[in-house]
């Protein structure tokens, strides 16, 4: 879990330009940040017209200064006045007219990381500010699950992976990527739980706040779930999907996505943000043939696709043979778990029984994937 940013997550704005200040305050509001503003810094220490080592020192409770602020936005009008301040990371020189070559010299003099020209850099600046507010840290490990054929059990595996990750103490978000799948909240027994569903995010544009997203979703079995409702709307714009999935990842922990067996523009937006895709394939030839077509589409976007073989049919293929035919690494085998459909019908989510075959597979997967260095070993 990402820790809180120093300075309470409040950026510091240094400018005497009222129009630029209005722009920066607007961008901070869009990122959910409450900045601290120095309209004019006192000239302390050093030569006249510069700011000494105590520049912007905290003068009141809750304020932030040059060294303690997690992010400093210096207006191009104020660059001269901060030349004597101590060098630090997270300083940006911001203005509207930055074609003047002297601006770049000023950026070097104050140790700015970047020179940002408004309005062109507004989106980038909102992202930078929001990262500070949210305490940007390691992104979530994002895993997609897709069925190689109909009825392969992908939704069951996705749900079980999320349940087991949450029970292991990971911050977990389960995302239902299939509007025609019936709803992952139903599989978790929470179709009536309060919280937002996909149609509520259809109008999302730009950056979605990670904390606000998490708090808005139904909480079921110690995890958050973003599902479809039972309404008629089955389409959310790809841009909104991209923003929501990106927000889910920024909170860290684990994100599990149940994917449909197609790759359209919306699904491609999800695949592009996943670290790994698990393709669930029953161990028989017809399912493998169908999975080959699905895999071809997924590989066009996904970085890493692996095979999970579900069950063994009498006279069927060995797991290694299935993976070999699909030309993908084998992630493991999930045996058929007797009694699981009945337990799910009674309200027990997949993976809830820690000693079951499904839970054992999921626990082993997360132990390998969530090592000391987050990643998924081959």
């Amino acid at each position: 879990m990402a820790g809180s940013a120093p300075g309470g997550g409040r950026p510091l704005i240094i400018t005497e330009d009222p129009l630029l200040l209005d722009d920066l305050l607007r961008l901070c509001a869009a990122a959910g940040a409450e900045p601290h503003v120095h309209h004019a810094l006192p000239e302390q220490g050093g030569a006249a017209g510069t700011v000494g080592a105590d520049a912007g020192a905290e003068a009141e409770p809750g304020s932030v200064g040059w060294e303690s602020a997690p992010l400093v936005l210096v207006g191009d009008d104020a660059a001269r006045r901060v030349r004597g301040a101590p060098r630090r990371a997270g300083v940006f020189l911001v203005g509207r007219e930055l074609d003047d070559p002297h601006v770049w010299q000023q950026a070097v003099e104050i140790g700015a990381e970047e020179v940002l020209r408004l309005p062109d850099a507004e989106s980038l600046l909102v992202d930078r500010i929001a990262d500070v507010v949210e305490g940007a840290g390691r992104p979530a490990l994002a895993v997609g699950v897709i069925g190689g054929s109909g009825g392969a059990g992908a939704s069951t595996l996705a749900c079980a992976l999320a349940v087991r990750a949450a029970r292991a103490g990971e911050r977990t978000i389960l995302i239902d990527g299939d509007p025609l799948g019936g709803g992952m909240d139903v599989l978790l027994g929470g179709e009536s739980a309060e919280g937002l569903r996909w149609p509520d995010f259809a109008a999302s544009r730009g950056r979605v706040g990670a904390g606000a997203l998490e708090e808005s979703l139904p909480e079921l079995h110690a995890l958050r779930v973003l599902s479809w409702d039972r309404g008629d709307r089955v389409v959310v714009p790809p841009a909104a999907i991209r923003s929501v999935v990106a927000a889910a990842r920024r909170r860290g922990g684990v994100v599990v996505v149940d994917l449909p067996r197609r790759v359209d523009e919306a699904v491609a937006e999800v695949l592009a943000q996943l670290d790994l895709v698990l393709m669930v394939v029953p161990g028989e030839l017809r399912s493998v043939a169908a999975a080959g077509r699905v895999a071809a589409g997924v590989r066009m976007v996904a970085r890493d696709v692996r095979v999970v073989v579900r069950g063994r049919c009498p006279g069927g293929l060995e797991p290694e043979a299935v993976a070999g035919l699909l030309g993908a690494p084998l992630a493991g085998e999930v045996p058929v778990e007797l009694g699981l459909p009945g337990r799910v019908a009674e309200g027990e989510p997949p993976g809830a029984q820690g000693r079951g075959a499904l839970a054992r597979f999921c626990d082993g997967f997360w132990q390998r994937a969530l090592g000391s260095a987050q990643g998924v070993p081959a």
Side-chain angles (χ1 to χ4, degrees):
M1 182 184 306
S4 300
R10 295 184 63 189
L12 173 63
I13 296 175
I14 303 174
T15 183
E16 298 178 50
D17 181 340
L19 296 179
L20 179 59
L21 178 59
D22 285 345
D23 282 339
L24 293 178
L25 290 175
R26 172 175 55 83
L27 296 177
C28 284
E34 182 183 353
H36 187 78
V37 178
H38 279 297
H39 298 282
L41 290 177
E43 297 185 7
Q44 304 175 19
T50 64
V51 178
D54 56 350
E58 289 81 346
E60 58 187 63
S63 69
V64 295
W66 176 269
E67 294 189 70
S68 63
L71 184 73
V72 180
L73 306 177
V74 180
D76 56 347
D77 65 291
R80 177 183 60 84
R81 304 198 61 169
V82 299
R83 279 191 307 224
R87 294 301 175 101
R88 51 152 294 166
V91 176
F92 296 87
L93 184 62
V94 187
R96 292 189 194 82
E97 301 295 335
L98 300 180
D99 294 331
D100 183 349
H102 294 297
V103 170
W104 300 95
Q105 181 180 347
Q106 290 176 329
V108 172
E109 290 174 348
I110 68 174
E113 290 186 14
E114 292 184 61
V115 177
L116 302 177
R117 183 170 69 86
L118 304 182
D120 295 353
E122 285 194 356
S123 178
L124 172 62
L125 190 50
V126 169
D127 282 349
R128 296 284 191 177
I129 298 169
D131 283 341
V132 167
V133 175
E134 296 170 2
R138 175 183 291 173
L141 179 62
V143 178
V145 185
I146 190 169
S149 62
S155 295
T156 297
L157 177 58
C159 186
L161 283 168
V163 168
R164 298 311 300 174
R167 294 200 174 187
E170 293 291 334
R171 169 184 272 142
T172 305
I173 296 181
L174 174 61
I175 297 178
D176 186 352
D178 187 358
L180 304 180
M184 292 299 285
D185 53 354
V186 176
L187 196 55
L188 287 162
E191 59 270 24
S192 61
E194 293 185 2
L196 301 184
R197 267 67 173 180
W198 265 121
D200 298 308
F201 294 95
S204 297
R205 296 292 184 273
R207 184 177 177 116
V208 174
L213 171 68
E214 183 178 33
E215 293 172 3
S216 72
L217 300 179
E219 184 174 8
L220 303 168
H221 303 280
L223 61 91
R224 299 283 181 167
V225 57
L226 174 53
S227 186
W228 293 86
D229 60 13
R230 261 49 67 187
D232 295 333
R233 182 159 196 159
V234 295
V235 176
V236 171
I241 289 176
R242 178 175 62 249
S243 296
V244 169
V245 175
R249 292 205 67 193
R250 286 197 303 274
R251 288 298 274 176
V254 164
V255 173
V256 180
V257 185
D258 181 40
L259 296 164
R261 291 179 55 239
R262 66 177 186 279
V263 181
D264 55 20
E265 187 178 356
V267 175
E269 290 287 359
V270 178
L271 289 171
Q273 298 192 58
L274 299 179
D275 298 298
L276 170 67
V277 176
L278 298 176
M279 177 175 292
V280 186
V281 185
E284 51 94 15
L285 192 57
R286 186 164 177 241
S287 296
V288 173
R293 293 190 291 272
V294 176
V298 172
R299 284 196 184 103
M300 293 177 65
V301 185
R303 295 188 293 270
D304 189 348
V305 181
R306 305 185 195 180
V307 174
V308 175
V309 177
R310 179 175 175 267
R312 293 199 184 190
C313 304
L317 301 170
E318 293 292 322
E320 293 77 9
V322 173
L325 288 170
L326 293 172
L330 178 64
E333 179 185 3
V334 180
V336 174
E337 187 170 318
L338 299 177
L340 178 60
R343 294 198 299 271
V344 170
E346 294 173 358
E348 178 184 291
Q353 290 207 353
R355 290 179 292 180
L358 185 58
R360 288 197 301 271
F361 171 86
C362 296
D363 290 345
F365 172 81
W366 291 126
Q367 287 170 7
R368 295 189 299 272
L370 296 170
S372 55
Q374 190 178 44
V376 187

